Amino acid sequence: MTNSTVKRSAKPRLSTFARNLLEEWRQLELPLSEASVVVAVSGGADSTALLLGLDELIKANKLRLELIVAHLDHGLRDESRNDAKWVAQLAKQLGYKTEISRANVKKSPRLKTKVGKSKENLEQAARNARYTFLEKTANKTHSNLVLTAHTLDDQAETVLMRLLRGSAAEGLSGTRAIRELAPGSPVKLVRPLLAWARHSDTEDYCRRRQVAFRVDVMNDDETFSRVRVRKQLLPLMKSFNNRVVEALNRTATLLNEDVVALSGESRRLLELAVNEPQENSETNAPGLRVNVLLQAPVAVRRRALREWILRSRGDLKRVEMVHLVAVERLLQGERGGRTAELPGGITVIRRRGMLELSHKKRLKKPRTISKIPRVRHRR
């Protein structure tokens, strides 16, 4: 080195965690600059690592974003107020705005009506409260992105839980990395750790950043089915395949590719089968031509029926495979006048070579009724 050589201070290298996060950020085609982003932070290792990783990328000028740290205190644990204070303090140290709120999930009106299933309903009520809060925060801060810290481990647990319930390919394809936060909302819910990060990666990264993340004791409560899957089923499966989490995620990815392809075919089938509603129709839902539906493979036809019901009802709450099968049975044979009942007082009737939807709970003098077994809705 000559005397004229000028020493330049080397820029700190990005951590492996931050590099992986940036790669996934680009893969998902998320904005690199001039965007306001809400980050859901509970204080646990996963969400804390997500916040710290974004912080590293922002301070390395890889991302130019305005972060809003959002935390909802569900009021389910004695120490939850301390978690909220801890998140607020961390965000302040890093230099980001916070939105902190508190909900009394145990007094949720929905929860009161479901006595006898308190644990699972409590989990669902907490989830509903959390996403409602995140949507309000996004609207308040004019943000089009809300980030959550779901990992490969979360995806594996979700796939197993749905497998145990007998879900179809849509369920077994797992959680998507990007979706609408709420139906019709311009706000996107994004999970940038889902495709690559393990829970052990987030813990290691927090330790490297010397941040002591919070620990939620409810994550060890085996009265929750997800915790039992995590602590009992996955370890047993790991004794057969040490990389079972990665294997389950690979399966979910492959099934999602199949679902995307079949969904495209089902939409095309629906366009071909649809018949505009008559003026005296009881709903605005178009009827479907039976002969067109029968020309398609079962997997495509069933998805088309599912999409038809979704568009007509606005949701698929309590609609399960047994209901789709009952509707599909109406396609067989030549006889009209047969009906199938759907949850919520919806009736599907075959009439003059068409499937039609009715909001009447009972039709006058039906010829025969396709009875379907009553099923318990599983959350």
Side-chain angles (χ1 to χ4, degrees):
M1 184 183 291
T2 62
N3 292 334
S4 60
T5 301
V6 177
K7 280 189 175 183
R8 295 181 180 178
S9 58
K11 291 183 179 180
R13 293 181 59 186
L14 287 176
S15 66
T16 300
F17 188 92
R19 286 201 306 273
N20 288 337
L21 177 56
L22 181 60
E23 182 179 349
E24 182 67 8
W25 195 271
R26 288 171 172 160
Q27 183 71 25
L28 296 174
E29 299 181 347
L30 300 175
L32 300 174
S33 62
E34 298 180 0
S36 177
V37 178
V38 174
V39 189
V41 181
S42 66
D46 298 339
S47 59
T48 300
L50 174 58
L51 174 59
L52 294 173
L54 291 169
D55 174 68
E56 183 178 348
L57 293 173
I58 289 171
K59 288 173 180 172
N61 290 320
K62 300 295 182 181
L63 296 177
R64 295 174 178 83
L65 307 170
E66 180 186 2
L67 294 189
I68 297 94
V69 178
H71 176 91
L72 178 66
D73 176 3
H74 297 96
L76 297 176
R77 297 175 291 113
D78 294 338
E79 64 272 23
S80 62
R81 288 185 184 275
N82 292 331
D83 292 346
K85 292 177 182 178
W86 185 91
V87 170
Q89 183 62 31
L90 175 63
K92 182 178 179 181
Q93 289 175 356
L94 297 174
Y96 302 115
K97 299 175 183 177
T98 58
E99 288 289 334
I100 308 290
S101 186
R102 182 177 173 84
N104 195 335
V105 173
K106 289 182 179 179
K107 292 186 178 181
S108 167
R110 292 182 182 178
L111 195 61
K112 289 180 180 179
T113 63
K114 299 183 181 290
V115 178
K117 304 178 186 177
S118 58
K119 285 292 183 181
E120 299 307 324
N121 286 331
L122 190 64
E123 187 176 33
Q124 184 62 35
R127 183 181 184 278
N128 292 339
R130 183 163 60 252
Y131 282 113
T132 298
F133 161 69
L134 291 173
E135 184 178 13
K136 287 180 180 178
T137 300
N139 293 334
K140 177 181 177 180
T141 58
H142 306 289
S143 303
N144 286 326
L145 294 177
V146 170
L147 310 184
T148 61
H150 294 85
T151 64
L152 283 168
D153 298 274
D154 296 312
Q155 183 77 299
E157 292 165 12
T158 296
V159 170
L160 282 177
M161 291 177 69
R162 292 177 179 175
L163 179 63
L164 293 171
R165 288 199 295 260
S167 296
E170 282 82 359
L172 297 180
S173 62
T175 304
R176 287 179 291 166
I178 301 181
R179 70 166 176 82
E180 292 179 347
L181 182 58
S185 172
V187 181
K188 300 298 182 185
L189 177 65
V190 185
R191 302 174 173 99
L193 305 184
L194 188 67
W196 60 274
R198 295 290 307 271
H199 183 63
S200 56
D201 296 326
T202 64
E203 288 186 334
D204 289 344
Y205 182 60
C206 287
R207 293 187 186 104
R208 288 176 183 272
R209 292 289 301 267
Q210 297 182 337
V211 175
F213 52 85
R214 308 290 289 181
V215 176
D216 185 349
V217 294
M218 292 180 71
N219 288 332
D220 293 322
D221 185 350
E222 295 191 24
T223 56
F224 290 103
S225 57
R226 180 177 286 272
V227 178
R228 290 198 302 278
V229 166
R230 182 186 309 139
K231 291 189 166 291
Q232 297 179 27
L233 185 54
L234 272 171
L236 178 61
M237 296 178 72
K238 192 174 180 181
S239 68
F240 291 89
N241 179 357
N242 193 47
R243 295 181 63 81
V244 67
V245 168
E246 290 81 358
L248 288 167
N249 277 271
R250 186 165 58 251
T251 297
T253 299
L254 294 172
L255 283 172
N256 185 62
E257 292 171 357
D258 293 345
V259 166
V260 170
L262 287 169
S263 296
E265 289 298 312
S266 69
R267 284 192 292 271
R268 282 188 283 274
L269 174 62
L270 201 55
E271 290 172 4
L272 291 172
V274 75
N275 189 53
E276 292 304 317
Q278 303 298 319
E279 290 184 4
N280 60 351
S281 174
E282 295 166 353
T283 73
N284 291 323
L288 300 182
R289 297 183 181 91
V290 170
N291 62 335
V292 175
L293 292 171
L294 284 173
Q295 294 174 16
V298 173
V300 176
R301 184 166 69 225
R302 200 166 283 168
R303 282 171 171 80
L305 291 172
R306 185 176 184 271
E307 180 66 21
W308 178 58
I309 294 168
L310 171 62
R311 293 181 186 181
S312 304
R313 283 184 33 151
D315 61 62
L316 288 169
K317 291 178 181 177
R318 298 191 296 125
V319 176
E320 300 188 5
M321 182 58 68
V322 66
H323 302 110
L324 294 178
V325 170
V327 174
E328 195 175 25
R329 286 198 194 109
L330 300 180
L331 301 175
Q332 306 303 320
E334 300 294 333
R335 190 176 55 185
R338 291 172 292 148
T339 65
E341 303 293 332
L342 299 179
I346 303 291
T347 300
V348 181
I349 182 170
R350 174 170 170 165
R351 184 161 44 198
R352 295 187 291 275
M354 302 289 297
L355 289 187
E356 299 176 0
L357 274 173
S358 169
H359 284 298
K360 290 184 177 181
K361 292 188 178 181
R362 291 186 179 180
L363 296 175
K364 294 181 180 179
K365 297 181 181 179
R367 295 184 186 176
T368 44
I369 295 188
S370 298
K371 293 184 178 180
I372 56 176
R374 296 180 67 184
V375 292
R376 293 176 63 189
H377 176 55
R378 301 181 181 182
R379 294 188 178 272

